[in-house]
Amino acid sequence: MASASSPSVAADSKWFRDIVVLGLAFAALFFFRLGSDPLANPDEGRYAEIPREMLATGDWVLPRLDGVFYFEKPPLVYWMNAIAFKAFGRGEWAVRSVPALFGLAGVLLAYAAGRLLYGRMAGIVSAVILGTSLLYFALSRILILDMVVSVFMAAALFCFILGVRAKSGARRRLLFYGLYACAALATLAKGLIGLMLPGAVMFLWLLIFNQWKRLLPFYLFTGAALFLAIAAPWHILAAQRNEDWAWFYFVREHWLRFTTSTHSRYQPWWFFLPIVVLGFAPWTGYAWTAIKESLPGAWSRRKAEADTWFLVLWAVFIFFFFSRSQSKLIPYILPVFPAIAVLLGAWTSRVLEAGSIKRMRAGLVFHAGFGIVLGLAIAVLCIKPMLIRDGDLIETA
């Protein structure tokens, strides 16, 4: 009896060990000197001041900035920052702990999804790739909304693809309820994109790859009730307490932001191409090799590899959605990174397990070159730190 259960026990112990090691390593990376620099203007100052005023006024429904209603975004991140103030005091470390915690959660999520989809090695590599990619690391240490919404959207999409793979029963139900809950929390973090983007990715995958039979059961009625129970109360209360909120929030901050340049965030259609290439460094070189190896014949294998195509569709659709938008900022593209990291983690693990290190030559060259450039940049900034000005690199309003 004992020996029959030992493989399961060993697997559980490896899960626990991997999560502990990855958690400690990336917690050290994301939290190191987190509060050493003052909050940057305007974004970090704004997202710290709003929760401070929530605590001062006792109004947790209608956010305020300098005493004026601030309806641009939903309040979930403000609520978490206010809780962080209560728990850790009113300092830079406290408010930056929220994106850092979510950055850490995203890394562990990539590990879990990569492992369940492609195996233990793929999970570990996926987590390392995501956590050490340049843009993901940077945004895990900056007080803005994008890390939080990205992790919740990734959790919703991972829950979906793992849910359709699971047999009917408690595991499948839990995964689908996780999908509905995370979509609701993503909506409370940054608006309707938290529901619309995951929903569009899931629908297009079901349609293009004809996966409708795998969808049932998906617990629509109880899941929708769970979504509404989480996301609806704040929207209803905000609409009741201020007659201008609904137009400003739904029309100006959603429809007009996407379809017009009214927010003065216009950029050319190719804006996110260099952002992804540079932001995914130092792993960009490996991604290019993986694409060249995987694309030939990939479409002919689409039925057998539909789950992998889900990750491809996830990254491609969200990339083109934000590229089509008339309002573009660097952090918007972050939700594509978890999908790319798991795809690259799966390819890299296959290469390593096959002992074909030569296939990674281009990536290793890029990796080394990036390391040299980054080292030189850090050295220059240490000598002349005033080369960086607050708010010059990322603006997210």
Side-chain angles (χ1 to χ4, degrees), residues 23-33 141:
L24 291 175
F26 282 98
L29 182 65
F30 293 160
F31 283 90
F32 178 69
R33 293 180 57 83
R141 297 173 57 86

Side-chain angles (χ1 to χ4, degrees), residues 127-173:
V128 171
I129 288 173
L130 181 62
T132 56
S133 60
L134 183 62
L135 185 62
Y136 189 91
F137 168 74
L139 295 183
S140 72
R141 297 173 57 86
I142 300 174
L143 176 55
I144 55 176
L145 311 182
D146 298 88
M147 179 58 72
V148 175
V149 70
S150 176
V151 171
F152 277 131
M153 287 172 58
L157 289 165
F158 282 136
C159 281
F160 173 79
I161 193 61
L162 293 172
V164 298
R165 290 163 59 97
K167 296 180 180 178
S168 180
R171 176 184 172 85
R172 185 183 180 96
R173 185 181 300 108

Side-chain angles (χ1 to χ4, degrees), residues 88-309:
F88 305 118
R90 297 183 182 180
E92 288 84 353
W93 192 96
V95 288
R96 287 185 182 138
S97 68
V98 173
L101 282 171
F102 273 86
L104 177 59
V107 168
L108 298 180
L109 181 65
Y111 163 75
R115 176 166 182 164
L116 291 169
L117 289 169
Y118 301 110
R120 179 171 178 247
M121 176 63 75
I124 294 172
V125 177
S126 299
V128 171
I129 288 173
L130 181 62
T132 56
S133 60
L134 183 62
L135 185 62
Y136 189 91
F137 168 74
L139 295 183
S140 72
R141 297 173 57 86
I142 300 174
L143 176 55
I144 55 176
L145 311 182
D146 298 88
M147 179 58 72
V148 175
V149 70
S150 176
V151 171
F152 277 131
M153 287 172 58
L157 289 165
F158 282 136
C159 281
F160 173 79
I161 193 61
L162 293 172
V164 298
R165 290 163 59 97
K167 296 180 180 178
S168 180
R171 176 184 172 85
R172 185 183 180 96
R173 185 181 300 108
L174 183 63
L175 285 166
F176 272 97
Y177 285 165
L179 155 64
Y180 292 112
C182 289
L185 291 168
T187 301
L188 279 178
K190 208 178 179 185
L192 296 181
I193 64 166
L195 170 64
M196 293 171 60
L197 291 186
V201 171
M202 292 183 286
F203 174 77
L204 288 174
W205 180 75
L206 292 167
L207 180 66
I208 294 171
F209 297 96
N210 193 24
Q211 298 293 309
W212 299 103
K213 291 182 179 179
R214 299 176 65 187
L215 182 61
L216 297 175
F218 67 114
Y219 312 99
L220 176 61
F221 296 108
T222 52
L226 176 61
F227 175 91
L228 291 173
I230 295 171
W234 174 77
H235 290 82
I236 294 171
L237 287 173
Q240 288 176 340
R241 296 190 183 185
N242 189 286
E243 62 182 10
D244 298 324
W245 173 85
W247 183 90
F248 192 97
Y249 178 76
F250 288 111
V251 179
R252 185 181 186 276
E253 288 303 310
H254 285 84
W255 178 251
L256 295 180
R257 180 179 287 270
F258 180 79
T259 60
T260 73
S261 57
T262 186
H263 289 76
S264 301
R265 300 285 185 267
Y266 177 78
Q267 298 290 347
W269 66 267
W270 48 263
F271 175 74
F272 288 117
L273 283 171
I275 301 302
V276 172
V277 170
L278 295 175
F280 202 63
W283 306 101
T284 311
Y286 304 102
W288 177 247
T289 304
I291 291 170
K292 288 195 299 182
E293 289 192 5
S294 303
L295 275 184
W299 185 250
S300 64
R301 302 190 303 271
R302 62 189 180 278
K303 291 185 177 179
E305 299 181 11
D307 296 356
T308 295
W309 275 101

